[in-house]
Amino acid sequence: MVYKVFPTLKHDTAKLIHLILHGIALVLGAVGIYFAFKNHNESGIANLYSLHSWLGIGTITLYGIQWIFGFVTFFFPGAAPNLRRSLLPWHILFGLFVYILALANAELGFLEKLTFLESSGLDKYGTEAFLVNFTALVVVLFGASVVVAAVAPARLEEPQGYAPIPEN
């Protein structure tokens, strides 16, 4: 999204920001999984018992693979221009796939939490249930807007100081 939100940035700057933001997200995702296991272990709750947990592990693993692939192919050491050009559409497609998996997993997490709360006596139409459902709806709408923005046609002009990957 850095490329779309800041179209006037030089390409290399946008690429570096993209790389750093995704690296931070990957670290935060791994920290989140660590704390989920820590919380389960301290509370006597089984680990990896739900679709939410399985999909979460799978999603963060695919996200890590995507980040490493992008780093090696497009940043350092960087593949040959022809290879980068042919792999870029797949990098974008796989990135969107992992993003949609993360959204789906977040929705599973909301559903799981709401199910636990309702089984412990939460009113199905109470304030807490409304808050969880409203938050889940906001995540869906935000996620959909990001996907639409990512696949929307790109601008026609190249950013200042950028030339496409050469045709060697």
Side-chain angles (χ1 to χ4, degrees):
M1 292 303 302
V2 170
Y3 300 101
K4 299 239 179 177
V5 173
F6 303 110
T8 59
L9 281 179
K10 289 187 177 183
H11 184 73
D12 288 343
T13 303
K15 185 191 299 189
L16 183 62
I17 292 170
H18 178 78
L19 177 79
I20 290 170
L21 289 177
H22 280 288
I24 291 168
L26 181 60
V27 169
L28 291 175
V31 168
I33 289 176
Y34 165 78
F35 279 111
F37 275 95
K38 184 176 187 286
N39 179 52
H40 281 203
N41 292 338
E42 290 173 357
S43 303
I45 301 171
N47 289 310
L48 301 173
Y49 63 90
S50 67
L51 180 59
H52 172 66
S53 59
W54 294 359
L55 193 58
I57 296 292
T59 301
I60 198 71
T61 301
L62 291 175
Y63 192 66
I65 291 168
Q66 170 78 343
W67 191 86
I68 291 167
F69 171 80
F71 183 86
V72 170
T73 305
F74 300 106
F75 193 73
F76 183 79
N82 287 342
L83 186 58
R84 285 194 323 235
R85 189 179 321 97
S86 65
L87 291 176
L88 183 59
W90 292 104
H91 180 67
I92 294 168
L93 180 68
F94 192 70
L96 281 171
F97 172 72
V98 172
Y99 180 71
I100 292 168
L101 271 180
L103 289 172
N105 197 44
E107 294 303 315
L108 284 172
F110 286 123
L111 180 62
E112 185 177 301
K113 185 66 175 175
L114 192 57
T115 302
F116 289 151
L117 290 173
E118 287 177 352
S119 68
S120 65
L122 177 74
D123 180 17
K124 290 184 182 201
Y125 300 103
T127 307
E128 293 90 352
F130 176 79
L131 180 62
V132 171
N133 286 326
F134 181 77
T135 305
L137 184 60
V138 168
V139 168
V140 167
L141 294 174
F142 176 74
S145 70
V146 168
V147 171
V148 168
V151 299
R155 62 186 177 281
L156 298 176
E157 300 174 15
E158 298 295 342
Q160 208 171 19
Y162 171 72
I165 299 171
E167 297 271 344
N168 294 347

